[in-house]
């Protein structure tokens, strides 16, 4: 049986396959490591890090919706220093490509976190400009091309690691935002983060989430994500990481055909912890059946 080359090159990172985990759905990998060897993944994107530890938003912080879920976690995390001291060394005991997702309350904070990560074994940084659940930081930067450009440019000046800019779908023109990330020096973009949404409990007549609004993820958002990935990959010469409701290998293949060089698996991890592994295997089998010698040949191979 012919062997398919699963490797992809993103922003100078040589990934062994195109499947990574989406930030916020995988913690720091410890729990999932009980299900499979994390070395099998293309990359692990860890829970979003801030400069100081955060307790996150008031509960309830998640609710299931038809074909998806809302979260308003609010960037709960132990802070970048704890990550560097306690979590990263454990991940790096193995051959795992670790990508740190970071959020700042202001541009200086993004830069400080980047500087702390610079001497570490983190392979790349994903700039979260798209968290819909905190007032400061995250989405406050991601909706405006000028601020996307500014924060990306400043962070790039603070280190040499590849920078992936994670984009929000809560915008009118995703290509304009992706272009700003590229012009700011971003090495790749990842999209989409969650769609701003809400649920109401009609008996209490209150919002279900403690934070009122949350981010919608899961299969419900996949067609939106696919459309945005297709638009960005078609318009800009920058590697795209596709995220949004990928449940199985068929979904992942759709993103690759639409132009994503890699995919990140998020909500599916909650439903099926083995989803990323099944997706890697499914992509390989599909490529073999379709006569692709390398996964990179599938990228953007959509017939129009
Ligand atoms: C959260 O922690 O609120 C989710 C992170 C994100 O959507 O970027």
């Amino acid at each position: 049986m012919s062997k398919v080359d699963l490797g992809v090159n993103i922003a100078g990172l040589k990934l062994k396959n195109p499947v990574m985990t989406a930030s916020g759905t995988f913690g720091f990998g410890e729990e999932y490591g009980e299900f499979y060897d994390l070395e099998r993944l293309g990359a692990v994107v860890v829970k979003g890090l801030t400069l100081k530890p955060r307790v996150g938003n008031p509960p309830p912080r998640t609710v299931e919706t038809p074909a998806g879920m809302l979260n308003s976690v609010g960037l709960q995390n132990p802070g970048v220093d704890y990550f560097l001291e306690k979590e990263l060394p454990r991940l790096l005991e193995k051959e795992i490509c670790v990508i740190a997702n970071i959020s700042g309350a202001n541009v200086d904070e993004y830069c400080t976190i980047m500087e702390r990560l610079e001497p570490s074994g983190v392979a790349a940084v994903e700039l979260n400009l798209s968290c819909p659940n905190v007032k400061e930081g995250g989405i406050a930067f991601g909706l405006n091309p000028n601020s996307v450009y500014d924060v990306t440019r400043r962070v790039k000046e603070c280190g040499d690691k590849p920078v992936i800019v994670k984009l929000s779908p809560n915008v009118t023109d995703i290509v304009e935002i992706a272009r700003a990330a590229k012009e700011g020096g971003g090495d790749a973009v990842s999209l989409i983060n969650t769609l701003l949404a809400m649920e109401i409990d009609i008996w209490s007549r209150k919002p279900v989430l403690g934070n009122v609004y949350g981010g919608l993820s899961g299969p419900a958002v996949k067609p939106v994500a696919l459309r945005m990935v297709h638009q960005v990959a078609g318009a800009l010469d920058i590697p795209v990481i596709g995220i949004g409701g990928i449940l199985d290998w068929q979904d992942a293949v759709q993103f690759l055909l639409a132009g994503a060089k890699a995919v990140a698996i998020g909500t599916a991890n909650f439903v099926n912890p083995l989803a990323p592994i099944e997706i890697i295997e499914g992509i390989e089998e599909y490529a073999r059946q379709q006569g692709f010698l390398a996964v990179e040949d599938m990228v953007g191979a959509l017939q129009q």
Side-chain angles (χ1 to χ4, degrees):
M1 210 162 28
S2 68
K3 197 142 174 56
V4 176
D5 179 0
L6 288 177
V8 290
N9 191 325
I10 293 210
L13 297 181
K14 288 195 172 59
L15 306 184
K16 56 188 91 144
N17 65 63
V19 178
M20 47 180 82
T21 59
S23 174
T25 60
F26 208 71
F28 299 106
E30 197 167 5
E31 298 79 5
Y32 290 92
E34 293 174 18
F35 290 90
Y36 58 87
D37 185 349
L38 302 186
E39 284 191 16
R40 294 189 66 190
L41 295 166
V44 168
V45 186
V46 298
K47 173 63 187 162
L49 300 166
T50 50
L51 190 53
K52 301 273 174 247
R54 284 180 61 95
V55 293
N57 285 338
R61 305 204 294 197
T62 57
V63 57
E64 208 168 323
T65 61
M69 64 174 283
L70 304 188
N71 92 79
S72 70
V73 172
L75 295 175
Q76 179 186 345
N77 80 97
V80 65
D81 293 334
Y82 181 93
F83 167 73
L84 286 170
E85 196 185 324
K86 303 277 191 223
E87 303 288 357
L88 184 62
R90 178 181 47 76
L91 283 162
L92 294 181
E93 277 168 15
K94 297 191 148 219
E95 226 179 90
I96 299 171
C97 174
V98 179
I99 299 178
N101 176 290
I102 67 170
S103 289
N106 51 53
V107 180
D108 286 342
E109 263 190 33
Y110 278 98
C111 291
T112 307
I113 301 171
M114 183 70 180
E115 282 162 0
R116 299 224 177 143
L117 291 169
E118 187 58 24
S120 77
V122 157
V125 168
E126 182 177 61
L127 276 191
N128 188 352
L129 304 185
S130 44
C131 173
N133 301 327
V134 291
K135 285 197 186 67
E136 72 291 339
I139 206 164
F141 294 99
L143 301 186
N144 178 304
N146 295 328
S147 52
V148 169
Y149 172 84
D150 278 344
V151 68
T152 309
R153 187 182 55 80
R154 286 276 312 279
V155 167
K156 279 296 289 179
E157 285 169 1
C158 297
D160 292 327
K161 291 194 189 293
V163 170
I164 301 160
V165 184
K166 185 165 184 178
L167 307 182
S168 170
N170 301 296
V171 295
T172 311
D173 184 351
I174 191 73
V175 174
E176 180 188 39
I177 304 287
R179 183 173 289 115
K182 181 182 164 163
E183 287 172 358
D187 300 282
V189 288
S190 54
L191 59 146
I192 58 173
N193 204 325
T194 54
L195 281 147
L196 192 59
M198 85 181 284
E199 276 287 297
I200 291 173
D201 178 342
I202 59 168
W203 304 113
S204 64
R205 300 200 300 273
K206 288 183 175 162
V208 173
L209 294 173
N211 195 44
V212 182
Y213 302 133
L216 176 66
S217 63
V221 310
K222 194 202 75 182
V224 177
L226 200 54
R227 182 265 296 176
M228 289 189 163
V229 162
H230 184 248
Q231 285 181 314
V232 171
L236 301 179
D237 182 17
I238 187 169
V240 174
I241 300 166
I243 315 171
I246 300 173
L247 263 198
D248 54 27
W249 67 263
Q250 291 93 332
D251 291 336
V253 166
Q254 289 192 41
F255 277 83
L256 296 172
L257 295 177
K261 263 196 134 177
V263 292
I265 313 305
T267 304
N269 290 303
F270 301 141
V271 184
N272 171 14
L274 292 171
I277 301 304
E278 292 171 8
I279 289 169
I280 296 166
E281 291 169 355
I283 292 172
E284 182 172 18
E285 184 53 27
Y286 172 84
R288 186 177 300 116
Q289 278 175 4
Q290 296 293 310
F292 290 107
L293 299 179
V295 160
E296 288 214 338
D297 297 340
M298 284 167 58
V299 174
L302 183 69
Q303 310 278 317
Q304 309 233 41

